[in-house]
Amino acid sequence: MLYVVGIGSGNKDNMSFACYDAIKKSDVIVGYDKYISQIQYMIQDKQIYQSPMMKEIERSKKAIEYAKEGNTVSVICSGDSGIYAMAGLIMELAEDDIEIKVIPGITSAILASSLLGAPIMHDYCSISLSDLMTPLELIFKRIELASMGDFVIAIYNPKSKKRSEHLKKSVDIMLRYKSKDTVVGVVKKAYDVEQEVNICTLESINYDDIDMHTILIIGNSSTYVKKGKMITPRGYEKKYIDKMNS
């Protein structure tokens, strides 16, 4: 059995029971060394294979090899295993005789949303600004179309040393369709001891405070702030008031 496991932030308080059980059942744990370090408290009795960033194919092949040898294996992903994570790659590389089970976790957009209030109560999309595997022109096209459609937008991988201007360019595109006063939630290291949560506007984003550990939730035209929390109305109030008045 090969589990592909989403561990959320690695904090036991937001890890699903299914994730916890899969890891406990496993003989071998495979993952990016940073993610492995986040769950050391529960894998001390396991065989561990870990490697640095950019070794995803190597880790996937090694996990498949362990599974073919008869081991129960967990491949560790942050957030959700099927969102910007390893589930797809494992399935692409695995042979038909390997049983794979994808164990969902809590993706960063949902972790951030819970800290900000209720910003994702209506249609939204997730867009990564990493252009390692997606052409930058396509990323900007997706930003434009999502903004044109008034989606709430969750921005993953907003900034790195090599990608310092992608977010600013994305915001410039958004401002063609969204108000400068659009509410924006900025969450760094959600559910970590170094967690930071801030609410600003599209015009007032502090780019110096944003890094690869940050996720941004860009509101839609209805998103507002109440008692320090972001709220994107689902539309219940208007629907039922109109119904009562008709």
Side-chain angles (χ1 to χ4, degrees):
M1 171 65 76
L2 200 168
Y3 296 112
V4 192
V5 181
I7 62 168
S9 68
N11 187 317
K12 62 184 179 181
D13 293 332
N14 55 57
M15 184 183 297
S16 72
F17 288 116
C19 170
Y20 185 89
D21 288 344
I23 292 172
K24 283 300 182 182
K25 289 176 184 176
S26 295
D27 309 303
V28 183
I29 307 296
V30 176
Y32 168 38
D33 48 19
K34 177 186 173 182
Y35 302 154
I36 293 292
S37 69
Q38 292 175 330
I39 57 168
Q40 280 290 346
Y41 65 92
M42 61 183 298
I43 59 172
Q44 295 176 358
D45 59 337
K46 311 291 184 183
Q47 182 179 347
I48 298 172
Y49 180 86
Q50 57 185 318
S51 60
M53 190 180 290
M54 307 299 292
K55 298 289 185 180
E56 290 86 355
I57 292 177
E58 175 188 292
R59 287 197 297 274
S60 297
K61 289 182 175 179
K62 197 66 179 179
I64 292 166
E65 180 184 321
Y66 283 127
K68 289 179 70 174
E69 292 171 355
N71 296 291
T72 299
V73 182
S74 277
V75 177
I76 303 303
C77 310
S78 71
D80 177 84
S81 50
I83 300 178
Y84 303 125
M86 299 289 286
L89 180 58
I90 291 286
M91 289 183 170
E92 288 180 53
L93 295 175
E95 298 172 10
D96 292 341
D97 58 343
I98 300 293
E99 185 178 359
I100 300 170
K101 187 171 183 179
V102 177
I103 308 296
I106 305 174
T107 188
S108 296
I110 305 307
L111 290 169
S113 177
S114 70
L115 296 169
L116 291 165
I120 306 180
M121 284 296 296
H122 217 302
D123 298 335
Y124 84 103
C125 61
S126 299
I127 301 176
S128 170
L129 299 190
S130 172
D131 57 356
L132 290 174
M133 289 176 282
T134 306
L136 186 56
E137 60 188 36
L138 179 55
I139 293 172
F140 288 153
K141 181 178 181 180
R142 289 171 176 171
I143 290 287
E144 181 169 21
L145 293 174
S147 302
M148 189 184 302
D150 198 27
F151 283 86
V152 174
I153 307 174
I155 300 291
Y156 285 70
N157 304 313
K159 185 179 176 182
S160 70
K161 291 180 180 178
K162 294 182 179 180
R163 294 184 290 100
S164 60
E165 299 299 313
H166 288 13
L167 179 59
K168 290 181 181 178
K169 175 61 177 176
S170 296
V171 170
D172 287 342
I173 294 170
M174 291 181 202
L175 285 169
R176 299 175 194 166
Y177 306 95
K178 291 177 175 285
S179 165
K180 61 183 176 59
D181 297 319
T182 299
V183 182
V184 176
V186 181
V187 179
K188 184 184 295 186
K189 296 187 177 181
Y191 288 88
D192 188 274
V193 292
E194 298 176 321
Q195 169 184 294
E196 296 179 22
V197 180
N198 293 292
I199 295 176
C200 59
T201 66
L202 204 53
E203 184 183 47
S204 65
I205 294 172
N206 185 345
Y207 296 99
D208 292 335
D209 284 346
I210 293 170
D211 59 19
M212 282 293 288
H213 302 291
T214 308
I215 188 161
L216 291 87
I217 307 293
I218 315 293
N220 68 14
S221 59
S222 298
T223 305
Y224 67 101
V225 178
K226 179 179 179 181
K227 296 182 179 179
K229 297 292 185 180
M230 284 180 72
I231 301 172
T232 299
R234 180 72 177 93
Y236 294 110
E237 184 177 3
K238 183 178 186 304
K239 176 181 178 180
Y240 294 124
I241 288 175
D242 288 349
K243 185 176 180 180
M244 288 186 293
N245 290 337
S246 63

